[in-house]
Amino acid sequence: MNPHRRHPFIRVATILVYFFLYAPILVLVLYSFNASRTNILFAGFIPSFGALQMGGSTVVQSPCGPFHWFCELSRNREVGLAARNTLTIAFISTFISTIIGTMAALAIQRYNFRLKSFSQLSLYVPIVIPEIVMGIGILTLFSQLFGILNGAFGLEGDSRLSLGLGTVIVSHIAFSVPFVTLVVQARLQGFDKSFEEAAMDLGANELITFWRVTFPMILPGVLSGALLAFTLSLDDFVITFFTTGPGATTLPIYVYGLLRRIITPQVNALSTVWIAIVLTVVFLLQRLQSREAK
Amino acid sequence: MTQTSEFAVELRDVVKTFKTPEGTLLNAVDHVNMQIKHGEFFSMLGSSGCGKTTSLRMMAGFEWPTEGDVYIEGNAQGHTPPFQRPVNTVFQSYALFQHMTIYQNIAFGLEMERAPADEVKTRVGRLLDMVQLNGMERRYPKQLSGGQQQRVALARALVKMPNVLLLDEPLGALDLKLRKEMQLELKAIQQKVGITFVYVTHDQEEALTMSDRIAVMSKGKVMQVGIPVEIYERPQSRFVADFIGESNFFEGIVQSVEQDRATVLVPSLKAEVTGLNTGQVGVGQKAIISIRPEKIRISEQPALKTNFFNGTVKTTTYIGSDTHVYVDMGGGVTLKVWEQNKISSLDPRAYYVQGQKVCLNLFPENTLILAES
């Protein structure tokens, strides 16, 4: 018997894994071109410049053809606002959490200090505790803190500290830092100290050594960490739900709100765009990393 | 190079204490004194854990002495960081910057000095010539063979024209043939540039081949410093005689001393042995006799009037250039004798055979009497 022949089970299992991973996404994308408004049944593609079936029998012209729901989406100002919020939060929280997480990883890797194992362990806690617990915790913290601060400084009206973009960003940084630290730490594990010693030996001080040698060498790890933080921030719902305020609605929160009212293929169109963006970003970063590795 | 001081590098009573994982303190370097002269190829030789690499790292500035100090060109280094010392290092792992080209790697040190661009270009070019890596400038370290990477590491450190070049087992990762080539090349480069080389190795042959002087180290201490011939021919202790090459040892009590000779009663041989009194031992003291296997004359009839001993061949090993003969002297003593195969013969009778009665002649001028350490 050929020892390299694979058991047929392996093929079946592989197909099943990919099916369950991608079938829902494919259905979701398909439904964003649905001619039916209710999104329960697939009523065929929207005909180009043809009739659009509304509910049961209503027929409407669509100037966008099959991309009707995408056009609807682009006219939706609420979605635009939510997308802007989501991206603002994701970029700021990724940037800050990547810096903090990388510094933490370097400190843990390099130095021996008191409470080292404690601080290392405490990094894992936000990863393992349920998000909802963390969300409630952060909410309680903010409301207590803001209550005290508003009282102490006599802040009134618009100047009162309240939940909003700022609180969402802070909470996103809080849950992203441990992930960044773990990813960067894994990269640092195989980092030979003699690279830094060589740089210093050749006349580079600590700062130059970091920017010219250490950072470029750990950059792929830092980028992976940043990518993880970015995607975590993009699709976070639970913690955002607790820490968001008026005017700080993010896409997941917005979609959730839509679903409570009516499910239209607009939600699917939104999700399709979202998936396309995330896939592009991931793909670009992967390319960047594989070039780094060469 | 300005020679302001007598020595390029000096260690004065240096101690380096490390904490072991068990929490006890260990002197990796234990009260070491070392004087390295200008332009010298100086090797620190010893097995792992003898303190040679720690000593080198203290010269480079990666470690600071617990006690004592390192002097470079007469200046106490104290806690001077590596980037302010006039020394450069070739690392065992090469530590080439993987994200930089060969050119960028070699130019890195000059860039740190803020050397003008055209000067960087000429100096890097000259070093590429020296290590024969022309045309490789645009490659990355991973695209080079081990031997080529080793040359880049050497060029990167030499381009700064340091007062002292520190080399931490730089040939350790190369295969034997390449290592031998690089040994000669390193020595040639050192003579060409005239820079003081401090070389760490555990390979005694390498140290003997390349060095002007060798410091043999063990357990954080310097056992002996000398030129290669001294280290091999006049070891001052049993440790050095045993570590460098091979030797036969006997213990005994000094019976008489006459000029540079001493006679020692060896209980295991039940006989007296006369040799060079290199250990300056006195009558009545304990002494160790050391004689190298290639310096024993093996014969069927005594070749000397005294200082010969009879034995029986226990085993022989033919190794090509030599035959190693192990001779049973009785009383549980076995001596090893290396006999050069000067005659080309296929006849087994041309070689000593097992069970043969032989006579071992210990010429007094080849027999060393060492003080017991």
Side-chain angles (χ1 to χ4, degrees):
Chain A
M1 193 183 133
N2 182 357
H4 296 293
R5 232 188 75 174
R6 271 163 282 174
H7 197 279
F9 172 75
I10 292 175
R11 180 170 299 185
V12 173
T14 309
I15 291 169
L16 281 178
V17 165
Y18 276 93
F19 179 78
F20 284 114
L21 270 178
Y22 288 101
I25 295 175
L26 287 176
V27 169
L28 181 129
V29 172
L30 186 72
Y31 270 59
S32 63
F33 298 99
N34 198 352
S36 163
R37 176 177 272 283
T38 58
N39 212 6
I40 292 161
L41 278 170
F42 190 68
F45 290 104
I46 305 162
S48 315
F49 303 104
L52 178 65
Q53 200 181 359
M54 298 294 278
S57 56
T58 327
V59 169
V60 166
Q61 289 286 117
S62 173
C64 297
F67 296 98
H68 173 75
W69 298 114
F70 293 90
C71 288
E72 289 275 282
L73 189 69
S74 68
R75 279 195 291 272
N76 187 336
R77 285 196 55 233
E78 284 179 1
V79 169
L81 207 64
R84 214 179 70 191
N85 283 339
T86 306
L87 288 176
T88 309
I89 292 162
F91 275 114
I92 297 178
S93 71
T94 299
F95 186 72
I96 297 176
S97 61
T98 303
I99 293 173
I100 298 175
T102 304
M103 283 164 65
L106 282 167
I108 288 168
Q109 165 77 13
R110 192 147 311 185
Y111 302 113
N112 275 314
F113 48 91
R114 249 191 305 168
L115 300 179
K116 180 174 174 172
S117 49
F118 172 77
S119 55
Q120 223 171 338
L121 200 69
S122 64
L123 272 174
Y124 293 99
V125 174
I127 297 176
V128 291
I129 62 165
E131 253 193 293
I132 192 153
V133 175
M134 200 168 155
I136 294 170
I138 293 175
L139 174 64
T140 317
L141 174 73
F142 277 135
S143 49
Q144 290 293 319
L145 198 66
F146 288 169
I148 293 167
L149 288 176
N150 286 335
F153 295 103
L155 300 171
E156 304 253 339
D158 280 352
S159 60
R160 281 175 67 91
L161 295 167
S162 59
L163 297 175
L165 269 188
T167 48
V168 178
I169 289 171
V170 169
S171 62
H172 280 211
I173 292 169
F175 73 69
S176 298
V177 164
F179 288 97
V180 176
T181 309
L182 280 182
V183 173
V184 177
Q185 241 187 312
R187 176 80 188 184
L188 281 174
Q189 216 94 83
F191 190 82
D192 187 351
K193 227 174 92 186
S194 62
F195 291 115
E196 290 177 334
E197 288 181 348
M200 293 219 222
D201 188 70
L202 293 166
N205 62 28
E206 289 92 341
L207 204 65
I208 297 175
T209 299
F210 179 78
W211 285 114
R212 292 289 308 274
V213 175
T214 316
F215 187 68
M217 291 187 83
I218 64 169
L219 186 60
V222 174
L223 283 182
S224 312
L227 184 60
L228 190 60
F230 191 75
T231 47
L232 283 174
S233 170
L234 273 191
D235 42 64
D236 180 70
F237 175 78
V238 178
I239 289 177
T240 312
F241 183 77
F242 282 99
T243 53
T244 191
T249 303
T250 64
L251 282 176
I253 303 281
Y254 177 72
V255 169
Y256 179 70
L258 277 187
L259 290 175
R260 296 218 311 204
R261 280 180 274 153
I262 180 173
I263 315 167
T264 76
Q266 231 189 87
V267 176
N268 293 64
L270 174 60
S271 310
T272 304
V273 173
W274 199 339
I275 289 166
I277 291 172
V278 170
L279 281 182
T280 313
V281 171
V282 171
F283 177 73
L284 286 178
L285 277 172
Q286 282 281 332
R287 289 251 332 225
L288 204 74
Q289 275 196 33
S290 65
R291 204 182 312 159
E292 277 288 326
K294 266 179 205 161
Chain B
M1 216 180 304
T2 50
Q3 302 205 347
T4 49
S5 137
E6 192 184 347
F7 300 113
V9 183
E10 204 185 342
L11 301 191
R12 287 193 203 156
D13 215 23
V14 168
V15 178
K16 179 67 190 179
T17 310
F18 284 119
K19 208 172 191 177
T20 61
E22 293 82 45
T24 55
L25 294 175
L26 176 84
N27 283 352
V29 173
D30 198 358
H31 296 280
V32 161
N33 286 287
M34 217 181 269
Q35 278 107 26
I36 301 168
K37 295 176 208 156
H38 291 282
E40 187 172 41
F41 197 122
F42 188 91
S43 292
M44 292 190 274
L45 173 65
S47 42
S48 67
C50 74
K52 57 189 193 300
T53 297
T54 307
S55 298
L56 194 85
R57 290 174 59 80
M58 284 192 283
M59 294 175 194
F62 304 137
E63 312 274 358
W64 293 326
T66 314
E67 282 173 42
D69 208 344
V70 175
Y71 293 75
I72 298 173
E73 299 297 334
N75 301 317
Q77 294 299 306
H79 288 189
T80 308
F83 48 86
Q84 285 168 3
R85 296 187 183 209
V87 301
N88 287 115
T89 308
V90 178
F91 291 84
Q92 187 171 13
S93 58
Y94 312 146
L96 298 178
F97 307 133
Q98 305 296 326
H99 58 290
M100 297 186 199
T101 62
I102 301 312
Y103 185 90
Q104 288 168 332
N105 264 281
I106 300 175
F108 187 86
L110 296 175
E111 221 183 294
M112 294 300 119
E113 288 174 8
R114 294 174 197 281
D118 50 337
E119 191 194 325
V120 173
K121 212 172 164 189
T122 36
R123 283 171 75 177
V124 173
R126 206 168 348 146
L127 260 297
L128 282 166
D129 273 344
M130 190 187 283
V131 298
Q132 299 161 37
L133 282 176
N134 279 309
M136 302 280 180
E137 297 89 324
R138 283 157 164 237
R139 297 212 190 166
Y140 284 88
K142 274 187 187 161
Q143 298 170 306
L144 265 51
S145 72
Q148 289 172 325
Q149 291 186 27
Q150 210 285 318
R151 287 156 193 268
V152 176
L154 183 67
R156 185 179 67 176
L158 270 180
V159 78
K160 296 201 59 152
M161 294 308 275
N163 289 16
V164 181
L165 188 74
L166 307 172
L167 302 104
D168 185 9
E169 306 225 16
L171 309 181
L174 305 180
D175 62 57
L176 188 66
K177 192 159 174 276
L178 199 55
R179 194 155 68 217
K180 299 244 175 199
E181 276 173 34
M182 281 306 294
Q183 284 172 10
L184 298 176
E185 201 175 318
L186 261 183
K187 179 74 184 167
I189 287 174
Q190 192 262 338
Q191 282 169 345
K192 191 171 162 195
V193 296
I195 290 175
T196 311
F197 275 35
V198 183
Y199 194 95
V200 160
T201 182
H202 67 271
D203 183 335
Q204 43 164 302
E205 205 183 311
E206 196 166 284
L208 292 172
T209 309
M210 295 196 286
S211 317
D212 294 318
R213 285 197 306 150
I214 298 171
V216 182
M217 297 182 70
S218 171
K219 292 178 188 160
K221 288 185 157 56
V222 174
M223 304 305 289
Q224 189 172 348
V225 181
I227 61 172
V229 173
E230 275 173 359
I231 296 287
Y232 189 79
E233 302 294 351
R234 294 291 180 271
Q236 287 164 0
S237 58
R238 180 174 183 156
F239 175 84
V240 174
D242 201 23
F243 186 74
I244 311 290
E246 289 195 50
S247 202
N248 296 293
F249 297 104
F250 309 102
E251 289 170 14
I253 306 288
V254 181
Q255 301 298 304
S256 65
V257 175
E258 198 179 317
Q259 288 176 332
D260 62 343
R261 305 285 168 97
T263 301
V264 178
L265 177 68
V266 181
S268 60
L269 285 178
K270 298 190 190 70
E272 287 188 341
V273 178
T274 304
L276 275 182
N277 188 8
T278 55
Q280 312 272 309
V281 289
V283 175
Q285 282 185 311
K286 281 187 179 173
I288 290 163
I289 298 168
S290 163
I291 181 154
R292 301 227 179 253
E294 76 277 10
K295 295 188 179 9
I296 297 176
R297 168 92 71 85
I298 184 167
S299 58
E300 283 169 30
Q301 297 300 321
L304 287 170
K305 290 197 181 75
T306 58
N307 247 28
F308 65 84
F309 305 92
N310 295 313
T312 316
V313 176
K314 205 163 148 191
T315 50
T316 63
T317 315
Y318 175 80
I319 63 153
S321 59
D322 293 353
T323 301
H324 290 181
V325 187
Y326 295 85
V327 181
D328 185 2
M329 309 303 292
V333 179
T334 302
L335 287 191
K336 40 195 174 192
V337 183
W338 300 173
E339 179 79 346
Q340 223 182 10
N341 297 325
K342 287 207 166 133
I343 299 158
S344 178
S345 172
L346 289 177
D347 186 353
R349 284 171 300 179
Y351 306 95
Y352 291 98
V353 292
Q354 197 178 346
Q356 192 176 349
K357 298 278 180 209
V358 290
C359 183
L360 300 186
N361 305 279
L362 274 50
F363 289 87
E365 60 270 30
N366 295 342
T367 308
L368 308 179
I369 314 288
L370 310 175
E372 199 190 44
S373 43

